[in-house]
Amino acid sequence: MQTKRTDLAVEIRESFPEDDVELKGVILKEKQVKDTGIHISTVQITNQRGAKAMGKPKGHYITVESEELEYMKKEHREILVQTISRYLNLLASREQLKENGVVLVVGLGNREATPDSVGPRVVDQLVITRHLRSEYGESFSKEYSLKTLAAIAPGVTGQTGMEVVEILKGIVSQMKPDLIVVVDALAARSVERLNRTIQITDTGICPGSGVGNHRKALNKETLGVPVVAVGVPTVVDAATIVSDYLEEAFLEEGLSQKELKDFFDQIWESRKKSGKTDLIVTPKNMDEAVQNIADVLSDAINDSFAFFEDS
């Protein structure tokens, strides 16, 4: 059966039976933050066997889910920001980021396309501090408890004619950051996770992979610097929505898994021949939702990498 598109490690793990022997090397842990509605899932891929089964690199994939992210209710918002910040700090510490290491935030995506504008909108709201240290000195930074944060929204290849990895290699060679934090929009297979989910991972990112638009990976291997990726699913493949509903209906009618597989394989081949394989769906409230998401993520990144805790 055609694999349903998703960038979320937790969704890939959920697609396997709990006792699937192929998933030795994949550890799933889940917890609920009491009285907040925040659900946290951690997928750890520990070896190559797990990486092959999941189709993702070894590393940690932390998923934070909350309706607060989409609707920006005041209740629990600060807890959500603190939760995201805590996991950003955790992954940064695993990369041995020194206390005042230089952090470069990269906001991926096309700011002219609302579902793809999460990254640039986050960058717009960051407290940029790297230039202040060079202009006013260490004493100024210490007085205002400033860490060293820089950011860029490099646009997309269709706008610049350059791969993002090419742009970042030039910046890295001159700036020499200690850590890169990449923010991007993702694709999910579940409509319920759109605009309500944040994935944080220490494995980097392959921009556009969830919607079949593969670009060169951004990770430690390609950039020479540890990369933490933060992503929010804002789109879902239309074929995934249709197949989920059909699968549920056909199972109720008594079809076997083999019959389902044969049916969907036939449909997929028909779609490929017609060229209709790239219909992507996004919710109608994207303008408000994306801005709310950017507000939360920028606050969390500022808390983690712009200021010391005593500020």
Side-chain angles (χ1 to χ4, degrees):
M1 189 183 297
Q2 172 62 27
T3 302
K4 297 174 182 178
R5 290 175 176 172
T6 181
D7 288 311
L8 299 177
V10 69
E11 289 190 327
I12 298 173
R13 180 61 186 88
E14 289 171 349
S15 68
F16 289 85
E18 282 298 320
D19 59 349
D20 196 313
V21 294
E22 289 187 28
L23 286 193
K24 289 181 179 178
V26 179
I27 301 170
L28 173 65
K29 296 180 180 179
E30 298 182 275
K31 70 176 182 178
Q32 199 82 15
V33 180
K34 187 177 180 181
D35 300 327
T36 66
I38 298 174
H39 183 80
I40 301 170
S41 306
T42 302
V43 175
Q44 182 181 0
I45 302 177
T46 62
N47 58 34
Q48 288 301 326
R49 184 175 184 179
K52 183 177 180 180
M54 292 283 290
K56 285 188 170 292
K58 291 191 299 181
H60 300 82
Y61 299 82
I62 300 162
T63 306
V64 180
E65 299 178 63
S66 172
E67 291 185 8
E68 306 284 330
L69 185 63
E70 180 178 16
Y71 296 110
M72 194 55 69
K73 299 173 185 176
K74 291 183 179 179
E75 186 180 9
H76 306 144
R77 181 188 181 281
E78 188 58 33
I79 297 175
L80 179 59
V81 170
Q82 291 173 359
T83 300
I84 299 166
S85 178
R86 184 169 67 251
Y87 284 112
L88 285 172
N89 287 329
L90 175 64
L91 294 188
S93 67
R94 284 180 174 154
E95 297 297 342
Q96 299 181 333
L97 178 68
K98 55 189 177 184
E99 187 178 58
N100 197 34
V102 179
V103 176
L104 172 65
V105 177
V106 180
L108 297 179
N110 182 355
R111 67 170 67 247
E112 305 301 325
T114 302
D116 197 32
S117 66
V118 173
R121 292 195 193 200
V122 168
V123 165
D124 289 344
Q125 298 178 90
L126 294 180
V127 179
I128 305 304
T129 60
R130 180 173 177 263
H131 63 299
L132 298 176
R133 179 174 298 275
S134 60
E135 288 182 17
Y136 300 107
E138 290 284 341
S139 59
F140 177 88
S141 296
K142 289 180 179 179
E143 180 181 355
Y144 293 97
S145 299
L146 299 179
K147 295 184 179 180
T148 309
L149 180 64
I152 185 172
V156 295
T157 302
Q159 296 170 324
T160 66
M162 295 177 284
E163 291 277 356
V164 173
V165 70
E166 295 174 324
I167 297 172
L168 293 184
K169 281 182 177 181
I171 294 173
V172 168
S173 68
Q174 294 296 314
M175 180 181 158
K176 296 179 174 54
D178 298 286
L179 176 71
I180 295 175
V181 177
V182 177
V183 183
D184 198 10
L186 305 178
R189 64 156 293 179
S190 168
V191 175
E192 286 71 25
R193 283 195 166 100
L194 294 182
N195 299 334
R196 300 180 179 184
T197 306
I198 298 166
Q199 178 174 269
I200 309 168
T201 176
D202 55 8
T203 63
I205 194 169
C206 187
S209 60
V211 294
N213 185 22
H214 296 273
R215 316 307 304 181
K216 293 183 179 178
L218 307 177
N219 53 38
K220 190 173 183 178
E221 286 68 36
T222 59
L223 296 173
V225 178
V227 179
V228 170
V230 181
V232 178
T234 59
V235 297
V236 62
D237 186 3
T240 296
I241 300 174
V242 174
S243 63
D244 280 348
Y245 282 114
L246 287 176
E247 186 174 336
E248 183 178 347
F250 289 160
L251 286 174
E252 289 179 356
E253 292 297 320
L255 269 70
S256 67
Q257 287 292 339
K258 183 180 184 305
E259 290 172 321
L260 279 175
K261 180 182 183 303
D262 292 343
F263 172 76
F264 285 119
D265 285 347
Q266 185 177 7
I267 293 295
W268 179 252
E269 287 302 318
S270 175
R271 289 181 73 224
K272 282 202 296 185
K273 289 178 181 178
S274 67
K276 299 175 181 178
T277 59
D278 291 317
L279 181 58
I280 303 298
V281 179
T282 193
K284 64 181 180 180
N285 65 330
M286 282 307 299
D287 284 311
E288 179 184 4
V290 166
Q291 191 55 53
N292 290 341
I293 292 165
D295 290 343
V296 170
L297 292 183
S298 59
D299 281 355
I301 292 172
N302 283 330
D303 284 355
S304 293
F305 304 119
F307 302 103
F308 286 105
E309 291 182 2
D310 60 351
S311 61

